[in-house]
Amino acid sequence: MVSIGTHRLFISVSGVHATPGDPMVIFLAGSGDVASSYRAVERLVSAFARVLLYDRSGLGRSEDGPHRPTPITAATELHQLLERARIVPPLLLVGHSYGGIIAREYLHLYPDEVAGMVLSEASTERQSDYFKIPDVNINAVLGNLNFAQVTGLREDAKLSRGEWRVRAADIARGRATWEAEAAAYVEICKALGEKEQYQKRAMGEKPLSVIRCNSARDYQRIYEKGVEARNGTEEQREAFRQLLNRWDEVDREMKEEQLQLSSRSRLIHVPECGHHVHVVRPDVVAEEIRWVRDRTVERRDSESMEKL
């Protein structure tokens, strides 16, 4: 636990000894998600890089903070955490879902500290144009069904039984923070969009990997099991069906738009995997981190040679 002045945040650092200038890999979890979700991918990445896992304020093992939970708050507090823990840039930010917005807010506030990014199933500024969070129709059709069981997440997860239990307990502790993050989603998306990061190519030539999976598959399974259980009204099921009809096309557009952040970017599509790729396919996330890391090292070495 590391104090940032107002409260304490949980932090865990692992991995190989880094040479000066090698980027620190930092995982930024999705809304309500926690550091313990990343144990499988941490095992892979720590073999070739330094890795930092942490829980932001009000989630997992971290204490509640005095400020309203927003991506800007999270980015500012992460910066304070790194300073207190004496972790110096460069940084390789890995943002999943809502964590992708935090990564981009961090880039806006501290652009010189970010050497590269992996945006893994990341939310964007257009998320609120198409999706409601929370969505009352989806929740009605899901009913009392267990998300992890219905979608296959529990069965496919590359976490041990003990790791899954720890993850579940950590997530349960942060429900109030998750609800607060979800309630501000429209405002959050608007704030990010106003920065015009696509138009400005905010990352320049810094390497960026965008991972797109198949979140529509998760919700198709929820819909089918929910209908089977007779959850929700017919109107709610119809609204859910209409959303599913356009889900994949909208998701593809939003993921591809993120490539505009950098002139050195690539898109990886993993259609057989649902939204929680770091839990189910940690190998994919690790490989994209390696790709970005290798590009950052090449860029650093090239700049050093030019100075000589």
Side-chain angles (χ1 to χ4, degrees):
M1 300 293 287
V2 175
S3 172
I4 61 170
T6 53
H7 59 293
R8 298 183 304 164
L9 300 180
F10 168 78
I11 182 174
S12 170
V13 178
S14 61
V16 298
H17 178 73
T19 58
D22 283 356
M24 169 70 81
V25 177
I26 301 178
F27 289 105
L28 302 169
S31 185
D33 205 359
V34 289
S36 49
S37 291
Y38 287 81
R39 291 305 182 188
V41 71
E42 177 195 31
R43 286 191 283 272
L44 298 176
V45 178
S46 62
F48 62 84
R50 293 286 281 170
V51 177
L52 185 149
L53 297 178
Y54 87 108
D55 289 321
R56 59 182 176 271
S57 299
L59 295 174
R61 282 161 277 185
S62 289
E63 297 174 348
D64 292 340
H67 306 296
R68 189 165 67 98
T70 68
I72 295 173
T73 297
T76 303
E77 291 183 348
L78 174 58
H79 188 259
Q80 294 170 339
L81 176 65
L82 297 178
E83 288 186 331
R84 293 298 182 100
R86 298 182 180 178
I87 293 172
V88 299
L91 310 175
L92 195 168
L93 303 181
V94 184
H96 175 257
S97 197
Y98 180 95
I101 295 181
I102 298 174
R104 290 176 57 188
E105 291 290 5
Y106 196 100
L107 173 70
H108 179 76
L109 292 171
Y110 315 104
D112 294 338
E113 297 184 5
V114 180
M117 288 202 299
V118 175
L119 293 175
S120 173
E121 275 290 286
S123 300
T124 80
E125 51 268 67
R126 291 214 295 145
Q127 205 82 13
S128 62
D129 293 344
Y130 300 100
F131 301 102
K132 297 177 182 178
I133 302 175
D135 190 309
V136 294
N137 299 312
I138 293 176
N139 289 343
V141 176
L142 178 63
N144 293 325
L145 298 175
N146 183 283
F147 178 93
Q149 291 179 352
V150 170
T151 60
L153 176 61
R154 177 65 190 98
E155 181 180 355
D156 296 338
K158 299 303 186 291
L159 300 173
S160 69
R161 182 176 298 179
E163 288 171 337
W164 184 267
R165 284 199 297 264
V166 170
R167 174 184 184 268
D170 286 348
I171 288 175
R173 282 195 290 268
R175 183 165 185 82
T177 297
W178 172 80
E179 290 175 348
E181 289 178 340
Y185 224 81
V186 173
E187 170 193 339
I188 287 165
C189 292
K190 180 180 179 182
L192 180 62
E194 289 173 349
K195 295 175 175 65
E196 298 184 335
Q197 289 185 333
Y198 294 156
Q199 296 90 325
K200 297 175 181 177
R201 187 154 281 175
M203 292 182 65
E205 297 179 350
K206 295 175 181 179
L208 165 68
S209 170
V210 175
I211 301 175
R212 178 188 173 223
C213 297
N214 188 0
S215 57
R217 187 196 70 169
D218 290 342
Y219 289 88
Q220 181 64 41
R221 290 176 175 180
I222 290 172
Y223 174 79
E224 292 171 358
K225 290 296 183 181
V227 170
E228 184 180 315
R230 298 184 178 180
N231 291 340
T233 65
E234 182 54 43
E235 290 76 16
Q236 289 169 328
R237 295 176 198 168
E238 175 61 23
F240 197 168
R241 277 197 300 269
Q242 292 299 323
L243 178 62
L244 285 170
N245 287 341
R246 60 194 178 110
W247 190 301
D248 188 67
E249 180 181 355
V250 169
D251 183 68
R252 177 185 58 78
E253 289 177 0
M254 290 195 297
K255 297 299 190 300
E256 291 178 351
E257 286 171 351
Q258 293 174 92
L259 298 172
Q260 300 174 54
L261 290 168
S262 171
S263 62
R264 199 173 194 184
S265 58
R266 75 174 187 178
L267 174 70
I268 301 299
H269 188 205
V270 193
E272 72 280 6
C273 179
H275 183 59
H276 294 79
V277 59
H278 55 293
V279 177
V280 176
R281 290 295 307 274
D283 57 311
V284 171
V285 180
E287 184 56 34
E288 292 314 292
I289 292 171
R290 186 190 292 275
W291 181 83
V292 172
R293 178 190 175 278
D294 289 350
R295 305 289 88 71
T296 66
V297 172
E298 290 172 3
R299 191 166 184 260
R300 177 200 65 196
D301 292 346
S302 176
E303 290 174 351
S304 296
M305 289 297 294
E306 289 176 359
K307 291 179 181 179
L308 294 176

